[in-house]
Amino acid sequence: MKILLAASEAVPFAKTGGLADVAGTLPTNLKKQDKNIDIRVILPKYKGISDRGLKLIGKFKVKIGNEIKEVSIKSKILSNVPFYFVQNDSFFYRDNLYGTSEGDYPDNAARFSLFSQAVLKLPKLINWFPDVIHCNDWQTGLIPVYLKNTYAQDQEYQRIGTLCTIHNIAYQGLFESQELTTTNLGWEFFTFDKLEFYGKINFLKAGIIYSDMLNTVSNEYAKEIQTTEYGSGLETTLCARNDNLHGIINGIDCQEWNPTHDNFIYQNYDINSIEKKKENKKKLLEELDLPFSENIPLIGLVGRFSYQKGFDILGNTINKIMKLNLYLVILGKGEKTYQDLFTCLATKYPNKLRVIIDFNNLLGHKIYAASDMFLMPSRYEPCGLGQLISFKYGTVPIVHKIGGLSDTVVEFNSKSGKGCGFTFKNYLPFYLLKSIKKALKTYQNQKLWKKLIKNGMALDFSWDRSAKEYLKLYEKIYSLKRNN
Ligand code: ADP
């Protein structure tokens, strides 16, 4: 089977969030499951992607409104997976992927319309026609629209099926209706059953309607997004496609995220040498100028400073949290309001709180390894990688019971010794605090705590399991297209 995975970011080339981990890691894991699968990845060539080692494959033109844009396709093979890069420097040679802290780039509709059209020109350019194009998020939402319209009469394209993976329903690619002209789709697409969305155009809605199959990154989130509370306005569109909407939890890259051989951390350890984990805590606290103490647990948080990640309830309850016997280390980058708030709070609590405003993978690794607990009070969470990485590092997650967090973190029961973390259901500061207090209480019983750590470390959230499920979905789409 031939799969073309189209994404706006993929590790190790470009990353702002979990999507990059999925797009960069899934392909090699699919190959492990099925040696015959020919999977290739395509993404934009951003400023941060060096030309070194890239080979020019070809060039073509793409129409964006009244303009003709030159596109080069470059390529590189990584771990046996061909990666293709769509180069148009006026669109992609910028400091960031989607925008600055001031807001989104104003020409994002044109940028990702060009990307989507380029994805569909690739098969002809390299004479390789995939069975499935695996689209990801709004940036690739127009691909199935072009495929089913612009390419409707093209025999080589008629057997290509599409899967649209929704990593986060809140990001939809919403643009003013006039942008329809930049996409080269006619006004006949500006109707409720197509791209129109409250007077605007919506790229993700396009992906949902025109793809053969849909999935999101956890079972719980697949259900949640069909409700008014979490559907961000697309709930009815999603309900209409309920039969074809699946949930597949993400895996983590166990090569990168593994305390047994992680080069970024101070001291390696595994499930049989958990006592060595403490060395990481000692060293990190030293680096952060905080005194180590056996009895004071360290809570870590690594995540985007955004409305989604629960910084509002954390901010609301921080004064009470700071009264507890703990350290809190936050590493994040994102919305200025939260960055400013937490930078200010860090100066208020110099003996307990550290806030590092940065996107820093190295420090991220150190925090996962050093912390006793990992905090994810997300308002909503499609899948979440932080809690899965924490399990691997013997760090106990404290999470809001929502979406993927709900699918993966089972409340610890001190009587039965079962469970792997602490959860709170109601999204309120009081319940967050209650959950932290429960974790602290359990931490005081080190025998029980060790059991809890081991429960998490024994879980399997590798990509093998998720890759098997993606394979099944691809096969489903394959036979759907063959039987039509
Ligand atoms: P998102 O909604 O941002 O995709 P996920 O939990 O799915 O959230 O994935 C976020 C990934 O990015 C995790 O691997 C996390 O460790 C990493 N990450 C987030 N913010 C930072 C940061 N400031 N520095 C380093 N790594 C980060």
Side-chain angles (χ1 to χ4, degrees):
M1 203 164 20
K2 289 178 283 184
I3 311 290
L4 180 60
L5 192 153
S8 55
E9 48 186 278
V11 291
F13 301 105
K15 170 168 170 169
T16 66
L19 162 64
D21 293 310
V22 179
T25 316
L26 180 61
T28 36
N29 286 283
L30 281 165
K31 276 179 171 279
K32 265 199 251 161
Q33 299 303 320
D34 178 354
K35 284 198 180 61
N36 294 322
I37 196 162
D38 181 0
I39 177 154
R40 306 182 184 195
V41 181
I42 182 163
L43 70 154
K45 187 176 180 298
Y46 300 106
K47 189 177 177 182
I49 302 175
S50 149
D51 257 312
R52 210 171 341 125
L54 299 194
K55 193 172 139 201
L56 180 67
I57 299 290
K59 293 185 179 191
F60 49 71
K61 293 182 168 59
V62 171
K63 199 166 167 257
I64 292 293
N66 292 325
E67 285 182 50
I68 301 290
K69 300 272 182 190
E70 293 278 347
V71 172
S72 302
I73 298 288
K74 293 184 171 171
S75 156
K76 178 179 189 153
I77 296 177
L78 204 71
S79 308
N80 268 332
V81 177
F83 281 78
Y84 297 95
F85 302 92
V86 174
Q87 181 167 24
N88 175 281
D89 285 347
S90 69
F91 273 173
F92 298 120
Y93 196 81
R94 299 184 187 176
D95 288 338
N96 298 294
L97 270 54
Y98 314 122
T100 63
S101 55
E102 308 291 301
D104 290 345
Y105 290 133
D107 54 354
N108 272 349
R111 295 173 79 222
F112 289 100
S113 160
L114 175 133
F115 175 62
S116 299
Q117 293 186 61
V119 168
L120 287 165
K121 281 180 184 276
L122 179 79
K124 269 214 168 104
L125 181 74
I126 59 172
N127 194 23
W128 177 86
F129 291 85
D131 299 302
V132 177
I133 300 183
H134 181 171
C135 306
N136 291 275
D137 283 348
W138 70 264
Q139 291 89 344
T140 54
L142 294 187
I143 294 173
V145 188
Y146 292 127
L147 182 65
K148 290 207 168 123
N149 293 280
T150 322
Y151 290 87
Q153 306 309 324
D154 195 325
Q155 281 205 343
E156 286 166 313
Y157 283 77
Q158 282 166 354
R159 283 194 160 186
I160 301 179
T162 45
L163 171 65
C164 171
T165 302
I166 302 164
H167 297 265
N168 191 333
I169 197 83
Y171 300 94
Q172 301 183 353
L174 263 186
F175 303 102
E176 296 303 327
S177 56
Q178 307 87 276
E179 294 282 4
L180 204 51
T181 54
T182 64
T183 65
N184 305 328
L185 294 165
W187 283 103
E188 66 273 22
F189 286 90
F190 194 62
T191 57
F192 176 71
D193 59 336
K194 293 180 177 150
L195 271 67
E196 192 272 337
F197 185 81
Y198 298 99
K200 297 191 172 192
I201 53 168
N202 185 322
F203 280 22
L204 184 61
K205 182 179 176 186
I208 294 170
I209 292 174
Y210 284 89
S211 294
D212 295 310
M213 204 74 79
L214 305 166
N215 84 294
T216 181
V217 288
S218 66
N219 276 316
E220 192 58 32
Y221 192 62
K223 287 184 218 149
E224 285 166 5
I225 57 176
Q226 296 180 57
T227 66
T228 322
E229 199 177 352
Y230 296 105
S232 300
L234 286 174
E235 55 276 8
T236 359
T237 313
L238 285 159
C239 281
R241 299 230 47 205
N242 174 283
D243 287 350
N244 291 311
L245 174 58
H246 303 262
I248 303 179
I249 207 98
N250 291 331
I252 51 167
D253 179 356
C254 296
Q255 271 311 104
E256 178 180 3
W257 299 107
N258 198 332
T260 57
H261 61 244
D262 188 333
N263 287 327
F264 290 158
I265 65 176
Y266 307 96
Q267 169 71 55
N268 294 118
Y269 58 96
D270 63 19
I271 193 163
N272 298 313
S273 57
I274 297 168
E275 62 290 346
K276 289 191 189 160
K277 177 175 164 65
K278 206 188 302 165
E279 197 53 30
N280 290 291
K281 181 174 168 182
K282 273 188 191 159
K283 288 270 168 53
L284 182 70
L285 288 175
E286 200 179 301
E287 216 176 275
L288 298 173
D289 201 18
L290 289 167
F292 172 81
S293 158
E294 199 81 60
N295 300 323
I296 308 179
L298 169 63
I299 304 185
L301 195 168
V302 182
R304 274 183 297 121
F305 271 112
S306 73
Y307 171 78
Q308 177 197 340
K309 297 291 175 182
F311 286 103
D312 50 352
I313 57 166
L314 184 58
N316 275 332
T317 189
I318 197 86
N319 292 331
K320 287 186 177 141
I321 295 174
M322 287 295 112
K323 289 203 175 102
L324 304 172
N325 188 34
L326 52 78
Y327 293 125
L328 177 59
V329 176
I330 301 175
L331 168 65
K333 202 179 166 190
E335 288 170 32
K336 198 172 171 308
T337 344
Y338 298 118
Q339 289 189 173
D340 292 349
L341 170 69
F342 280 86
T343 307
C344 177
L345 284 167
T347 57
K348 190 173 168 192
Y349 297 106
N351 301 324
K352 289 198 156 179
L353 177 63
R354 289 289 178 274
V355 175
I356 303 110
I357 309 290
D358 189 13
F359 192 98
N360 185 333
N361 195 32
L362 169 69
L363 185 58
H365 278 251
K366 288 180 177 175
I367 293 176
Y368 283 111
S371 303
D372 297 294
M373 299 150 200
F374 191 82
L375 197 55
M376 285 182 85
S378 310
R379 179 181 292 268
Y380 66 91
E381 194 59 80
C383 173
L385 292 177
Q387 84 281 19
L388 307 182
I389 298 170
S390 296
F391 287 141
K392 197 87 195 155
Y393 282 76
T395 305
V396 178
I398 304 172
V399 307
H400 178 212
K401 199 168 173 48
I402 193 84
L405 297 172
S406 173
D407 276 3
T408 53
V409 184
V410 177
E411 179 76 20
F412 183 64
N413 182 322
S414 55
K415 288 204 176 77
S416 67
K418 290 202 172 122
C420 52
F422 298 94
T423 63
F424 61 98
K425 237 183 181 157
N426 297 316
Y427 188 72
L428 290 167
F430 171 80
Y431 293 100
L432 164 63
L433 185 67
K434 198 172 160 197
S435 206
I436 294 176
K437 282 184 177 168
K438 191 175 170 196
L440 295 190
K441 193 168 170 230
T442 314
Y443 181 81
Q444 296 313 321
N445 181 338
Q446 275 299 306
K447 203 172 151 208
L448 211 53
W449 191 256
K450 214 168 172 182
K451 167 93 185 101
L452 168 56
I453 289 180
K454 284 195 172 183
N455 289 352
M457 287 182 98
L459 295 171
D460 174 21
F461 285 108
S462 68
W463 268 107
D464 290 355
R465 197 181 31 86
S466 324
K468 276 185 198 138
E469 292 193 46
Y470 272 104
L471 263 182
K472 273 193 230 154
L473 261 194
Y474 294 154
E475 273 154 15
K476 225 172 177 171
I477 298 168
Y478 180 88
S479 43
L480 189 93
K481 294 303 284 187
R482 293 299 179 280
N483 295 332
N484 265 348

PDB file of all heavy atoms in Angstrom, residues 426-450:
ATOM      1  N   ASN A 426     -14.220  18.026  37.343  1.00  0.00           N
ATOM      2  CA  ASN A 426     -14.785  19.368  37.157  1.00  0.00           C
ATOM      3  C   ASN A 426     -13.667  20.377  36.927  1.00  0.00           C
ATOM      4  O   ASN A 426     -12.733  20.466  37.724  1.00  0.00           O
ATOM      5  CB  ASN A 426     -15.594  19.785  38.391  1.00  0.00           C
ATOM      6  CG  ASN A 426     -16.770  18.862  38.593  1.00  0.00           C
ATOM      7  OD1 ASN A 426     -17.473  18.527  37.641  1.00  0.00           O
ATOM      8  ND2 ASN A 426     -16.977  18.414  39.821  1.00  0.00           N
ATOM      9  N   TYR A 427     -13.822  21.125  35.854  1.00  0.00           N
ATOM     10  CA  TYR A 427     -12.768  22.074  35.497  1.00  0.00           C
ATOM     11  C   TYR A 427     -12.865  23.329  36.361  1.00  0.00           C
ATOM     12  O   TYR A 427     -13.348  24.377  35.940  1.00  0.00           O
ATOM     13  CB  TYR A 427     -12.875  22.417  34.003  1.00  0.00           C
ATOM     14  CG  TYR A 427     -11.731  23.240  33.499  1.00  0.00           C
ATOM     15  CD1 TYR A 427     -10.467  22.686  33.343  1.00  0.00           C
ATOM     16  CD2 TYR A 427     -11.901  24.584  33.180  1.00  0.00           C
ATOM     17  CE1 TYR A 427      -9.413  23.442  32.875  1.00  0.00           C
ATOM     18  CE2 TYR A 427     -10.842  25.352  32.717  1.00  0.00           C
ATOM     19  CZ  TYR A 427      -9.604  24.769  32.578  1.00  0.00           C
ATOM     20  OH  TYR A 427      -8.546  25.528  32.122  1.00  0.00           O
ATOM     21  N   LEU A 428     -12.472  23.188  37.619  1.00  0.00           N
ATOM     22  CA  LEU A 428     -12.545  24.294  38.578  1.00  0.00           C
ATOM     23  C   LEU A 428     -11.286  24.280  39.443  1.00  0.00           C
ATOM     24  O   LEU A 428     -10.780  23.192  39.777  1.00  0.00           O
ATOM     25  CB  LEU A 428     -13.770  24.132  39.489  1.00  0.00           C
ATOM     26  CG  LEU A 428     -15.142  24.334  38.839  1.00  0.00           C
ATOM     27  CD1 LEU A 428     -16.246  23.843  39.762  1.00  0.00           C
ATOM     28  CD2 LEU A 428     -15.353  25.793  38.466  1.00  0.00           C
ATOM     29  N   PRO A 429     -10.775  25.467  39.826  1.00  0.00           N
ATOM     30  CA  PRO A 429      -9.550  25.538  40.633  1.00  0.00           C
ATOM     31  C   PRO A 429      -9.601  24.653  41.873  1.00  0.00           C
ATOM     32  O   PRO A 429      -8.621  23.987  42.214  1.00  0.00           O
ATOM     33  CB  PRO A 429      -9.470  27.019  41.029  1.00  0.00           C
ATOM     34  CG  PRO A 429     -10.233  27.737  39.996  1.00  0.00           C
ATOM     35  CD  PRO A 429     -11.308  26.803  39.519  1.00  0.00           C
ATOM     36  N   PHE A 430     -10.762  24.582  42.515  1.00  0.00           N
ATOM     37  CA  PHE A 430     -10.902  23.801  43.735  1.00  0.00           C
ATOM     38  C   PHE A 430     -10.528  22.334  43.498  1.00  0.00           C
ATOM     39  O   PHE A 430      -9.836  21.701  44.301  1.00  0.00           O
ATOM     40  CB  PHE A 430     -12.357  23.919  44.244  1.00  0.00           C
ATOM     41  CG  PHE A 430     -12.668  22.982  45.377  1.00  0.00           C
ATOM     42  CD1 PHE A 430     -12.277  23.283  46.681  1.00  0.00           C
ATOM     43  CD2 PHE A 430     -13.336  21.766  45.146  1.00  0.00           C
ATOM     44  CE1 PHE A 430     -12.547  22.410  47.728  1.00  0.00           C
ATOM     45  CE2 PHE A 430     -13.603  20.891  46.185  1.00  0.00           C
ATOM     46  CZ  PHE A 430     -13.211  21.211  47.484  1.00  0.00           C
ATOM     47  N   TYR A 431     -11.016  21.777  42.396  1.00  0.00           N
ATOM     48  CA  TYR A 431     -10.777  20.351  42.123  1.00  0.00           C
ATOM     49  C   TYR A 431      -9.339  20.087  41.682  1.00  0.00           C
ATOM     50  O   TYR A 431      -8.777  19.036  41.957  1.00  0.00           O
ATOM     51  CB  TYR A 431     -11.789  19.818  41.099  1.00  0.00           C
ATOM     52  CG  TYR A 431     -13.181  19.822  41.678  1.00  0.00           C
ATOM     53  CD1 TYR A 431     -14.081  20.846  41.369  1.00  0.00           C
ATOM     54  CD2 TYR A 431     -13.576  18.846  42.594  1.00  0.00           C
ATOM     55  CE1 TYR A 431     -15.350  20.884  41.948  1.00  0.00           C
ATOM     56  CE2 TYR A 431     -14.831  18.876  43.175  1.00  0.00           C
ATOM     57  CZ  TYR A 431     -15.713  19.890  42.846  1.00  0.00           C
ATOM     58  OH  TYR A 431     -16.949  19.921  43.434  1.00  0.00           O
ATOM     59  N   LEU A 432      -8.745  21.063  41.011  1.00  0.00           N
ATOM     60  CA  LEU A 432      -7.328  20.940  40.649  1.00  0.00           C
ATOM     61  C   LEU A 432      -6.491  20.860  41.930  1.00  0.00           C
ATOM     62  O   LEU A 432      -5.640  19.975  42.093  1.00  0.00           O
ATOM     63  CB  LEU A 432      -6.906  22.151  39.796  1.00  0.00           C
ATOM     64  CG  LEU A 432      -5.400  22.403  39.638  1.00  0.00           C
ATOM     65  CD1 LEU A 432      -4.715  21.252  38.917  1.00  0.00           C
ATOM     66  CD2 LEU A 432      -5.126  23.699  38.877  1.00  0.00           C
ATOM     67  N   LEU A 433      -6.795  21.773  42.849  1.00  0.00           N
ATOM     68  CA  LEU A 433      -6.070  21.808  44.127  1.00  0.00           C
ATOM     69  C   LEU A 433      -6.250  20.500  44.897  1.00  0.00           C
ATOM     70  O   LEU A 433      -5.292  19.934  45.440  1.00  0.00           O
ATOM     71  CB  LEU A 433      -6.582  22.995  44.955  1.00  0.00           C
ATOM     72  CG  LEU A 433      -5.855  23.270  46.265  1.00  0.00           C
ATOM     73  CD1 LEU A 433      -4.433  23.728  45.993  1.00  0.00           C
ATOM     74  CD2 LEU A 433      -6.597  24.330  47.084  1.00  0.00           C
ATOM     75  N   LYS A 434      -7.501  20.000  44.887  1.00  0.00           N
ATOM     76  CA  LYS A 434      -7.820  18.770  45.607  1.00  0.00           C
ATOM     77  C   LYS A 434      -6.977  17.600  45.061  1.00  0.00           C
ATOM     78  O   LYS A 434      -6.451  16.780  45.815  1.00  0.00           O
ATOM     79  CB  LYS A 434      -9.318  18.481  45.424  1.00  0.00           C
ATOM     80  CG  LYS A 434      -9.885  17.528  46.422  1.00  0.00           C
ATOM     81  CD  LYS A 434     -11.385  17.444  46.291  1.00  0.00           C
ATOM     82  CE  LYS A 434     -11.845  16.143  46.949  1.00  0.00           C
ATOM     83  NZ  LYS A 434     -13.180  15.774  46.561  1.00  0.00           N
ATOM     84  N   SER A 435      -6.869  17.571  43.747  1.00  0.00           N
ATOM     85  CA  SER A 435      -6.129  16.499  43.097  1.00  0.00           C
ATOM     86  C   SER A 435      -4.635  16.580  43.445  1.00  0.00           C
ATOM     87  O   SER A 435      -3.986  15.556  43.704  1.00  0.00           O
ATOM     88  CB  SER A 435      -6.342  16.633  41.590  1.00  0.00           C
ATOM     89  OG  SER A 435      -6.197  15.416  40.980  1.00  0.00           O
ATOM     90  N   ILE A 436      -4.103  17.799  43.446  1.00  0.00           N
ATOM     91  CA  ILE A 436      -2.682  17.982  43.815  1.00  0.00           C
ATOM     92  C   ILE A 436      -2.471  17.533  45.264  1.00  0.00           C
ATOM     93  O   ILE A 436      -1.497  16.833  45.578  1.00  0.00           O
ATOM     94  CB  ILE A 436      -2.247  19.461  43.629  1.00  0.00           C
ATOM     95  CG1 ILE A 436      -2.274  19.836  42.148  1.00  0.00           C
ATOM     96  CG2 ILE A 436      -0.852  19.699  44.212  1.00  0.00           C
ATOM     97  CD1 ILE A 436      -1.948  21.289  41.834  1.00  0.00           C
ATOM     98  N   LYS A 437      -3.420  17.896  46.123  1.00  0.00           N
ATOM     99  CA  LYS A 437      -3.290  17.514  47.544  1.00  0.00           C
ATOM    100  C   LYS A 437      -3.300  16.003  47.696  1.00  0.00           C
ATOM    101  O   LYS A 437      -2.557  15.438  48.497  1.00  0.00           O
ATOM    102  CB  LYS A 437      -4.425  18.140  48.359  1.00  0.00           C
ATOM    103  CG  LYS A 437      -4.198  19.615  48.672  1.00  0.00           C
ATOM    104  CD  LYS A 437      -5.316  20.131  49.548  1.00  0.00           C
ATOM    105  CE  LYS A 437      -5.096  21.582  49.946  1.00  0.00           C
ATOM    106  NZ  LYS A 437      -6.286  22.173  50.536  1.00  0.00           N
ATOM    107  N   LYS A 438      -4.147  15.341  46.907  1.00  0.00           N
ATOM    108  CA  LYS A 438      -4.223  13.879  46.981  1.00  0.00           C
ATOM    109  C   LYS A 438      -2.884  13.261  46.536  1.00  0.00           C
ATOM    110  O   LYS A 438      -2.388  12.317  47.156  1.00  0.00           O
ATOM    111  CB  LYS A 438      -5.372  13.379  46.089  1.00  0.00           C
ATOM    112  CG  LYS A 438      -5.684  11.918  46.312  1.00  0.00           C
ATOM    113  CD  LYS A 438      -6.889  11.464  45.522  1.00  0.00           C
ATOM    114  CE  LYS A 438      -6.997   9.938  45.587  1.00  0.00           C
ATOM    115  NZ  LYS A 438      -7.898   9.405  44.571  1.00  0.00           N
ATOM    116  N   ALA A 439      -2.307  13.841  45.486  1.00  0.00           N
ATOM    117  CA  ALA A 439      -1.009  13.343  45.005  1.00  0.00           C
ATOM    118  C   ALA A 439       0.061  13.537  46.084  1.00  0.00           C
ATOM    119  O   ALA A 439       0.867  12.640  46.339  1.00  0.00           O
ATOM    120  CB  ALA A 439      -0.625  14.072  43.725  1.00  0.00           C
ATOM    121  N   LEU A 440       0.060  14.701  46.727  1.00  0.00           N
ATOM    122  CA  LEU A 440       1.066  14.980  47.758  1.00  0.00           C
ATOM    123  C   LEU A 440       0.938  14.011  48.923  1.00  0.00           C
ATOM    124  O   LEU A 440       1.930  13.545  49.480  1.00  0.00           O
ATOM    125  CB  LEU A 440       0.929  16.417  48.286  1.00  0.00           C
ATOM    126  CG  LEU A 440       1.206  17.564  47.309  1.00  0.00           C
ATOM    127  CD1 LEU A 440       1.274  18.894  48.042  1.00  0.00           C
ATOM    128  CD2 LEU A 440       2.503  17.344  46.544  1.00  0.00           C
ATOM    129  N   LYS A 441      -0.315  13.703  49.271  1.00  0.00           N
ATOM    130  CA  LYS A 441      -0.550  12.786  50.382  1.00  0.00           C
ATOM    131  C   LYS A 441       0.004  11.394  50.028  1.00  0.00           C
ATOM    132  O   LYS A 441       0.676  10.756  50.838  1.00  0.00           O
ATOM    133  CB  LYS A 441      -2.055  12.718  50.665  1.00  0.00           C
ATOM    134  CG  LYS A 441      -2.368  12.062  51.962  1.00  0.00           C
ATOM    135  CD  LYS A 441      -3.807  12.243  52.395  1.00  0.00           C
ATOM    136  CE  LYS A 441      -4.057  11.325  53.582  1.00  0.00           C
ATOM    137  NZ  LYS A 441      -5.250  10.522  53.405  1.00  0.00           N
ATOM    138  N   THR A 442      -0.279  10.960  48.817  1.00  0.00           N
ATOM    139  CA  THR A 442       0.209   9.637  48.397  1.00  0.00           C
ATOM    140  C   THR A 442       1.740   9.621  48.372  1.00  0.00           C
ATOM    141  O   THR A 442       2.371   8.623  48.713  1.00  0.00           O
ATOM    142  CB  THR A 442      -0.346   9.278  46.994  1.00  0.00           C
ATOM    143  OG1 THR A 442      -1.736   9.569  46.984  1.00  0.00           O
ATOM    144  CG2 THR A 442      -0.123   7.827  46.640  1.00  0.00           C
ATOM    145  N   TYR A 443       2.324  10.752  47.960  1.00  0.00           N
ATOM    146  CA  TYR A 443       3.796  10.854  47.867  1.00  0.00           C
ATOM    147  C   TYR A 443       4.460  10.600  49.230  1.00  0.00           C
ATOM    148  O   TYR A 443       5.577  10.083  49.295  1.00  0.00           O
ATOM    149  CB  TYR A 443       4.158  12.246  47.350  1.00  0.00           C
ATOM    150  CG  TYR A 443       5.642  12.481  47.193  1.00  0.00           C
ATOM    151  CD1 TYR A 443       6.322  12.018  46.070  1.00  0.00           C
ATOM    152  CD2 TYR A 443       6.372  13.179  48.164  1.00  0.00           C
ATOM    153  CE1 TYR A 443       7.678  12.232  45.916  1.00  0.00           C
ATOM    154  CE2 TYR A 443       7.730  13.396  48.023  1.00  0.00           C
ATOM    155  CZ  TYR A 443       8.379  12.921  46.897  1.00  0.00           C
ATOM    156  OH  TYR A 443       9.727  13.132  46.743  1.00  0.00           O
ATOM    157  N   GLN A 444       3.751  10.963  50.291  1.00  0.00           N
ATOM    158  CA  GLN A 444       4.326  10.779  51.629  1.00  0.00           C
ATOM    159  C   GLN A 444       4.504   9.297  51.973  1.00  0.00           C
ATOM    160  O   GLN A 444       5.321   8.941  52.802  1.00  0.00           O
ATOM    161  CB  GLN A 444       3.460  11.455  52.714  1.00  0.00           C
ATOM    162  CG  GLN A 444       3.362  12.977  52.590  1.00  0.00           C
ATOM    163  CD  GLN A 444       4.709  13.654  52.372  1.00  0.00           C
ATOM    164  OE1 GLN A 444       5.713  13.269  52.961  1.00  0.00           O
ATOM    165  NE2 GLN A 444       4.745  14.642  51.473  1.00  0.00           N
ATOM    166  N   ASN A 445       3.714   8.429  51.320  1.00  0.00           N
ATOM    167  CA  ASN A 445       3.875   6.989  51.519  1.00  0.00           C
ATOM    168  C   ASN A 445       4.743   6.449  50.368  1.00  0.00           C
ATOM    169  O   ASN A 445       4.242   6.100  49.301  1.00  0.00           O
ATOM    170  CB  ASN A 445       2.481   6.329  51.517  1.00  0.00           C
ATOM    171  CG  ASN A 445       2.564   4.837  51.751  1.00  0.00           C
ATOM    172  OD1 ASN A 445       3.604   4.222  51.525  1.00  0.00           O
ATOM    173  ND2 ASN A 445       1.465   4.259  52.195  1.00  0.00           N
ATOM    174  N   GLN A 446       6.029   6.423  50.591  1.00  0.00           N
ATOM    175  CA  GLN A 446       6.967   6.128  49.498  1.00  0.00           C
ATOM    176  C   GLN A 446       6.796   4.727  48.898  1.00  0.00           C
ATOM    177  O   GLN A 446       7.061   4.525  47.724  1.00  0.00           O
ATOM    178  CB  GLN A 446       8.402   6.335  49.974  1.00  0.00           C
ATOM    179  CG  GLN A 446       8.843   7.800  49.850  1.00  0.00           C
ATOM    180  CD  GLN A 446       8.807   8.336  48.414  1.00  0.00           C
ATOM    181  OE1 GLN A 446       9.391   7.761  47.516  1.00  0.00           O
ATOM    182  NE2 GLN A 446       8.084   9.440  48.186  1.00  0.00           N
ATOM    183  N   LYS A 447       6.309   3.779  49.728  1.00  0.00           N
ATOM    184  CA  LYS A 447       6.106   2.423  49.214  1.00  0.00           C
ATOM    185  C   LYS A 447       4.975   2.429  48.165  1.00  0.00           C
ATOM    186  O   LYS A 447       5.083   1.873  47.066  1.00  0.00           O
ATOM    187  CB  LYS A 447       5.757   1.495  50.383  1.00  0.00           C
ATOM    188  CG  LYS A 447       6.079   0.062  50.079  1.00  0.00           C
ATOM    189  CD  LYS A 447       5.910  -0.822  51.289  1.00  0.00           C
ATOM    190  CE  LYS A 447       5.545  -2.210  50.834  1.00  0.00           C
ATOM    191  NZ  LYS A 447       4.762  -2.939  51.796  1.00  0.00           N
ATOM    192  N   LEU A 448       3.921   3.123  48.548  1.00  0.00           N
ATOM    193  CA  LEU A 448       2.767   3.241  47.654  1.00  0.00           C
ATOM    194  C   LEU A 448       3.140   4.036  46.394  1.00  0.00           C
ATOM    195  O   LEU A 448       2.744   3.710  45.273  1.00  0.00           O
ATOM    196  CB  LEU A 448       1.649   3.983  48.411  1.00  0.00           C
ATOM    197  CG  LEU A 448       0.205   3.645  48.076  1.00  0.00           C
ATOM    198  CD1 LEU A 448      -0.047   2.165  48.176  1.00  0.00           C
ATOM    199  CD2 LEU A 448      -0.737   4.409  49.011  1.00  0.00           C
ATOM    200  N   TRP A 449       3.941   5.066  46.618  1.00  0.00           N
ATOM    201  CA  TRP A 449       4.352   5.931  45.508  1.00  0.00           C
ATOM    202  C   TRP A 449       5.154   5.151  44.462  1.00  0.00           C
ATOM    203  O   TRP A 449       4.972   5.313  43.261  1.00  0.00           O
ATOM    204  CB  TRP A 449       5.172   7.117  46.053  1.00  0.00           C
ATOM    205  CG  TRP A 449       5.395   8.176  45.013  1.00  0.00           C
ATOM    206  CD1 TRP A 449       6.538   8.420  44.316  1.00  0.00           C
ATOM    207  CD2 TRP A 449       4.416   9.105  44.528  1.00  0.00           C
ATOM    208  NE1 TRP A 449       6.341   9.450  43.427  1.00  0.00           N
ATOM    209  CE2 TRP A 449       5.053   9.888  43.542  1.00  0.00           C
ATOM    210  CE3 TRP A 449       3.078   9.366  44.832  1.00  0.00           C
ATOM    211  CZ2 TRP A 449       4.386  10.909  42.856  1.00  0.00           C
ATOM    212  CZ3 TRP A 449       2.411  10.379  44.153  1.00  0.00           C
ATOM    213  CH2 TRP A 449       3.066  11.130  43.177  1.00  0.00           C
ATOM    214  N   LYS A 450       6.021   4.275  44.972  1.00  0.00           N
ATOM    215  CA  LYS A 450       6.846   3.457  44.089  1.00  0.00           C
ATOM    216  C   LYS A 450       5.958   2.545  43.238  1.00  0.00           C
ATOM    217  O   LYS A 450       6.182   2.351  42.045  1.00  0.00           O
ATOM    218  CB  LYS A 450       7.820   2.623  44.918  1.00  0.00           C
ATOM    219  CG  LYS A 450       9.136   2.423  44.235  1.00  0.00           C
ATOM    220  CD  LYS A 450      10.150   1.863  45.202  1.00  0.00           C
ATOM    221  CE  LYS A 450      11.405   1.475  44.455  1.00  0.00           C
ATOM    222  NZ  LYS A 450      12.406   0.889  45.312  1.00  0.00           N
TER     223      LYS A 450
END
